[in-house]
Amino acid sequence: MDRKLLLSANFPQQLQVLLNKSGNLTKWLCLILLLVANFGYGQTNTWNGSSSTAWNTPGNWSLNAVPVAANNVVIPNVTRQPSITSNSPAAVCNNLTINSGAILTVTANNTFRVNGDSSITGTLILAGTGTKTFIGNVTINPDGTWNETGAGTI
């Protein structure tokens, strides 16, 4: 028997019936929560620079993983400041915060994408010819610096 779910005014009831017929609703909800938690939606990944200055080195991050599109990134003022010098994988984050005294450098022909808002109290250096994309609001706070030295696309 082919079951089709039609969207209607009683969609929530139809969905509940479908889930109850195909398995335990609690198991489905647990699976969904587990997947969301594993993909790091909304998690903050803070730069620590413990290994090097390379953005794409997992050990340089508080989550021990290179930021993904869902991560909020914080760059504090630490000894080793991050530099995006490689496009493998492409540098991306959700919200970006560059704290006072911190510096984020995007060099050469590299791509950098911020899907959410950016708050710059430190320094952002955009060098080279790569594409830098800022989807949300960009706030350059007092003492913040936006330094574009390349011929890239913003």
Side-chain angles (χ1 to χ4, degrees), residues 14-149:
Q14 289 175 334
L15 182 60
Q16 184 176 4
V17 168
L18 178 66
L19 288 175
N20 285 336
K21 286 185 178 181
S22 63
N24 187 322
L25 179 60
T26 304
K27 289 180 184 176
W28 279 101
L29 291 175
C30 287
L31 177 62
I32 291 168
L33 288 173
L34 180 65
L35 289 174
V36 168
N38 282 337
F39 285 116
Y41 286 103
Q43 285 186 316
T44 297
N45 202 355
T46 302
W47 173 264
N48 59 41
S50 62
S51 299
S52 67
T53 61
W55 176 282
N56 287 330
T57 300
N60 286 326
W61 296 98
S62 62
L63 297 178
N64 204 33
V66 175
V68 295
N71 290 148
N72 297 321
V73 165
V74 175
I75 310 295
N77 184 5
V78 296
T79 302
R80 292 187 187 127
Q81 295 295 302
S83 184
I84 299 169
T85 58
S86 169
N87 264 339
S88 181
V92 64
C93 66
N94 185 29
N95 295 320
L96 172 67
T97 301
I98 303 175
N99 290 341
S100 179
I103 301 169
L104 171 60
T105 305
V106 184
T107 64
N109 188 24
N110 295 305
T111 301
F112 180 53
R113 180 181 178 97
V114 180
N115 293 321
D117 296 332
S118 300
S119 175
I120 302 168
T121 307
T123 301
L124 176 63
I125 299 172
L126 303 172
T129 58
T131 301
K132 291 81 174 181
T133 306
F134 296 84
I135 302 297
N137 295 318
V138 176
T139 303
I140 301 173
N141 299 301
D143 298 325
T145 304
W146 174 292
N147 185 351
E148 185 182 352
T149 61

